[in-house]
Amino acid sequence: MRSVEEHQRRVAELIRPPRPVPFQLAQVLGRVLAEDVIAPIPLPTFDNSAMDGYAVRAEDFARASAERPVVLPVAADIPAGSPANVPLAPQSVHRIMTGACVPPGADAILPFESTDRGAEHVRAHAPTSLGAHIRRAGEDLAAGGLALRAGVRLRAPHIGLFAALGLASVPVFAPVRVLILSTGSELVAPGSPLGPGQIYESNAPMLAAAVEEVGGFAHQLRFVSDDVAQLRARIDQALAELSDVDLILTSGGVSAGEYEVVKQAFEGGEAEFVHVAMQPGKPQGCGRYRAADGTTVPLVALPGNPVSAQVSFEVFLRDPLIAAMDGGRPPRPKLRAPLAEPVLRSPSGKRQFLRGVLAEDRASVSPFGPPGSHFLRSMALSNCLVDIPADVTSLPAGAEVAVWDLA
Ligand code: AMP
Ligand code: MG
C-alpha cells in the first residue's frame, strides 16, 4: 500500500504552478494579488477641497472675527468635477464644494461654517490658516509609489484603492479550473423522483463547493453512467467546450467492484490506481487523461463514498489547490489538541481520519460519528478531522492528536 504522504506528493505534482492573470475588479475579491501594483497617478489626484466653502488666500481672512467680519466678493463657483482653471484674484474668493479642484492662487479653504454662506459676497466671522482644509495631491500615495504588494488577499478597501487609481483590472493568481465528474448508474439529480435502487448524486455539488471554497472554478459533469466509452466521450466533449481545464476530478468507480468505470477508462498509460494506507479513502487514482485530440489533462480519481470523497479532497487536493491560487504560500498549519474521549480502535497500518468536533476554545477534540464512509451527516456536523497515525491502534482520553480544522 502507498503511504498518504507519497500519494500527496503525486497529486501535488499534478497541480499546475501559480499563474498571474489580469482579472476585472468585480472578480478579484478574496483572490491573491500576483504582482506588486504601482500607482499610475497620485492620490489625491489633485489638490482639492475637504470642505464645502470658499477657496481663499489665507492672509485675506487672517484677522476675521465675529466683531470684525471680513467681506469679499465671490468671483467664481467651483462644483466638484469642474476644472477650476480660473486663477483666484487677490481680494476675492471662489465658492468651492468638497472634492473640487483648488484654483491657482488659493492657499486655504474657508468653510461655510465660518461664513454667512453668501453667493455674491461672503462675510467671514472666523479666520482660516494657510493650507487649511486642502487635501494635497499625492499625500496618500505618490504616482509611481507602491499601492499594494503582491501576496495580499484582496478585501473591499483594496478594490476601492485600485478603482481610485483608475485600474480596471489587476493581476491575481488564476483560479484552478476543475472539471468534476460523478459516475454511477444509480445516481439521480436532486429534485427528481428516486426509482428503486437509485440515490441522489451528492459528490459533484460537494466537491464543486470544496473547489470553490478555496477559490477555484468548478464545472460539474454529472450522471455519467458506468460505461467506459460514454465516460470518455463526455470528458472529451467537455474539454472541447471548456477552455483551460487544469484538473479532471472524478469520484466513484475506483474500488474493487465489477463496474469500476473510472479505473477501466483511465488505468494503464498515464494514470495509476493504487491503495493508499488510510481510512476512509483507500482506493485512489491519479495521473493524466489523454483526450481524443492527444492533449493530456491532470486527473485525480477519488473514491465514491461521499465521506471518502470529501476526506480525500481535504487530504490530497485542498493544500495544493490553495498553493496554486495563493502563489505557493504554505498550507495552513494543523493544530494539536487532547482527546476528550478515547479512540477505542484504529486500523493497524492505516492512517485514520476520524471526523471530530473541536471545542470552541480549541482546548480538546472529540471524535464524532461512526468511522464508516457513508455517514455523510456525521461529516456535515463535524468541524475537524482527527488524524490518527498508521501505527496507532487505540488512544486514551487526554492523548494529544493532530487536528485538521475544517471550519
Ligand atoms: P463506487 O466507488 O462507485 O463503487 O461508489 C461507492 C459508493 O459511493 C456507492 O455506494 C455509490 O453509490 C456511492 N457514490 C458514488 N458516487 C456517488 C455520488 N456522486 N454521489 C453519491 N454517492 C455516490
Ligand atoms: Mg460507482
Side-chain angles (χ1 to χ4, degrees):
M1 267 198 280
R2 172 180 287 182
S3 72
V4 169
E5 294 77 9
E6 173 63 15
H7 197 65
Q8 280 175 322
R9 263 194 299 280
R10 300 286 179 110
V11 170
E13 280 167 11
L14 293 170
I15 307 300
R16 62 149 175 78
R19 173 156 47 84
V21 287
F23 258 45
Q24 296 293 309
L25 291 197
Q27 294 166 345
V28 301
L29 180 65
R31 301 204 173 278
V32 174
L33 190 65
E35 289 161 11
D36 291 353
V37 170
I38 304 300
I41 55 169
L43 288 181
T45 309
F46 46 83
D47 289 0
N48 70 90
S49 178
M51 301 282 283
D52 297 323
Y54 302 87
V56 303
R57 291 171 195 272
E59 62 179 29
D60 292 345
F61 291 89
R63 272 183 258 284
S65 67
E67 298 75 40
R68 298 180 132 210
V70 173
V71 180
L72 284 180
V74 179
D77 200 26
I78 316 172
S82 138
N85 42 15
V86 179
L88 178 70
Q91 293 296 306
S92 72
V93 305
H94 291 180
R95 195 164 67 159
I96 192 167
M97 299 303 131
T98 302
C101 192
V102 175
D107 58 20
I109 302 299
L110 179 68
F112 274 151
E113 289 79 351
S114 303
T115 73
D116 65 349
R117 307 172 76 108
E120 305 280 307
H121 285 84
V122 64
R123 174 183 294 262
H125 53 72
T128 187
S129 57
L130 199 63
H133 309 302
I134 294 179
R135 305 159 166 171
R136 291 292 174 196
E139 71 181 358
D140 189 15
L141 177 60
L146 178 65
L148 204 61
R149 203 173 278 296
V152 172
R153 184 176 304 286
L154 299 175
R155 294 179 291 107
H158 302 133
I159 292 164
L161 173 62
F162 299 143
L165 289 169
L167 302 170
S169 67
V170 290
V172 293
F173 289 114
V176 176
R177 303 169 79 91
V178 185
L179 178 62
I180 294 178
L181 227 81
S182 48
T183 65
S185 301
E186 75 279 25
L187 305 175
V188 171
S192 45
L194 278 183
Q198 296 184 321
I199 59 167
Y200 287 120
E201 199 278 310
S202 57
N203 286 352
M206 175 174 67
L207 293 170
V211 165
E212 284 161 5
E213 211 167 43
V214 294
F217 282 167
H219 181 88
Q220 299 179 41
L221 203 58
R222 301 170 81 185
F223 318 115
V224 181
S225 69
D226 289 327
D227 177 273
V228 169
Q230 206 210 78
L231 177 85
R232 296 192 67 105
R234 289 205 51 197
I235 295 180
D236 288 342
Q237 188 196 348
L239 291 178
E241 283 167 15
L242 303 166
S243 58
D244 306 334
V245 171
D246 295 308
L247 175 68
I248 299 169
L249 179 59
T250 69
S251 64
V254 295
S255 47
E258 284 296 317
Y259 308 100
E260 304 301 354
V261 65
V262 170
K263 208 160 149 182
Q264 290 166 14
F266 304 129
E267 198 164 32
E270 288 145 282
E272 52 172 358
F273 288 82
V274 295
H275 284 163
V276 176
M278 67 188 277
Q279 186 185 65
K282 186 171 82 163
Q284 299 282 346
C286 70
R288 299 187 76 86
Y289 171 72
R290 185 168 291 277
D293 66 1
T295 56
T296 69
V297 181
L299 167 84
V300 171
L302 305 180
N305 273 305
V307 173
S308 309
Q310 181 63 21
V311 168
S312 301
F313 180 91
E314 287 291 332
V315 172
F316 298 113
L317 275 168
R318 194 171 194 278
D319 285 351
L321 290 181
I322 289 176
M325 287 179 277
D326 281 15
R329 283 205 285 203
R332 64 176 173 193
K334 319 281 192 257
L335 61 136
R336 296 189 68 82
L339 284 169
E341 295 156 35
V343 171
L344 299 177
R345 263 181 300 279
S346 190
S348 163
K350 281 188 200 162
R351 194 162 155 187
Q352 195 182 21
F353 294 94
L354 291 170
R355 274 64 68 205
V357 173
L358 184 61
E360 216 158 286
D361 60 4
R362 297 172 144 228
S364 68
V365 65
S366 307
F368 184 78
S373 54
H374 58 290
F375 289 93
L376 186 54
R377 179 172 173 272
S378 297
M379 173 120 207
L381 295 187
S382 69
N383 63 8
C384 66
L385 295 176
V386 181
D387 180 359
I388 312 283
D391 56 353
V392 171
T393 53
S394 68
L395 284 170
E400 278 235 328
V401 287
V403 177
W404 298 33
D405 188 355
L406 305 183

